[in-house]
Each structure stands twice: as structure tokens, then as C-alpha cells.
Amino acid sequence: MEEKIKFEMEFPIQASPQLLYQYISTPSGLSEWFADNVNSRGEFFTFIWNDSEEKAKLLSKKSGERIKFRWMNDDEDGQSYYFEIRIQVDEITKDVSIIVTDFIDEDEIDEAKMLWENQISDLKQVLGSA
């Protein structure tokens, strides 16, 4: 099996970190922009898009700062891949950014980046900061 490549993307966003955290860490917040529907039971989240669903395990979260998931199919493969959505606030300017860290197959990197750009664009629409 081919190794996946880690990549990071940064997106400036006009929203308070507290509000943003609600949208990245709760099933109701995530279903507003990340998936059509999101359910959680304990540390397991189910993301539903049209006719498909993916399960992810919540690896860690820090209130107001970040959330980290691992897709269950990566978990079953014994891989330590994850995706993380982190809120970063510039100490001087107080500008808020979202930093996305993800792992993807090398031949799918452009597609993955475009997908994240679209997802964050949807988030900005929901927040009214587009």
C-alpha cells in the first residue's frame, strides 16, 4: 500500500474562534458545511453525503482550538493517518485562520485540495464571512 502524503492548507476566515469551534466540533455544526448529515455516538462520528457514509473516530479535541479525526477505513488498515481542523489566531493582528491538515494519496492531492477549498468556502457561506 502506498504511503499517503501529509498536506496543510490555511484559510483566513472572518469569525470568532468560539463560533468557529462550534462549526468544526459538533455534529450539527459539521452538518452545516462539511457533510449532508453528521451523527455521533461517543467518540465515533458518521458523516453522510448523498448515498454514502464514512465513519471517523474522534482522536482529540481542544476546546476553541482544534479537532482531529481518523477515518475508520484508515484505522482498519492500521494506518496512523488523520485529518485535523485547527483554529489559529494571530497574536498581533487577531486575524483568524483555519488550518486543515490531511493525508492523501499523491495522485489525488489536487483533488483533495480543491475539495477542502470548496468545504471551507461552504463554511464561510454559513458563517456569512464569504
Side-chain angles (χ1 to χ4, degrees), residues 55-71:
K55 291 191 183 332
K57 181 178 182 180
L58 175 64
L59 297 179
S60 65
K61 68 179 181 180
K62 185 167 183 186
S63 186
E65 270 185 41
R66 63 180 162 76
I67 189 151
K68 186 189 283 190
F69 292 102
R70 174 174 302 129
W71 295 115

Side-chain angles (χ1 to χ4, degrees), residues 12-71:
I13 200 153
Q14 303 288 318
S16 76
Q18 295 77 15
L19 177 65
L20 214 41
Y21 186 72
Q22 295 305 309
Y23 280 94
I24 68 168
S25 66
T26 64
S28 61
L30 285 161
S31 64
E32 294 260 347
W33 66 279
F34 188 75
D36 296 333
N37 197 5
V38 181
N39 300 312
S40 70
R41 181 163 285 135
E43 62 187 12
F44 295 98
F45 282 62
T46 304
F47 297 89
I48 300 159
W49 294 273
N50 294 332
D51 298 332
S52 71
E53 70 176 47
E54 290 279 339
K55 291 191 183 332
K57 181 178 182 180
L58 175 64
L59 297 179
S60 65
K61 68 179 181 180
K62 185 167 183 186
S63 186
E65 270 185 41
R66 63 180 162 76
I67 189 151
K68 186 189 283 190
F69 292 102
R70 174 174 302 129
W71 295 115

Side-chain angles (χ1 to χ4, degrees), residues 89-95:
V89 181
D90 186 289
E91 285 184 25
I92 297 164
T93 64
K94 301 296 180 210
D95 288 344

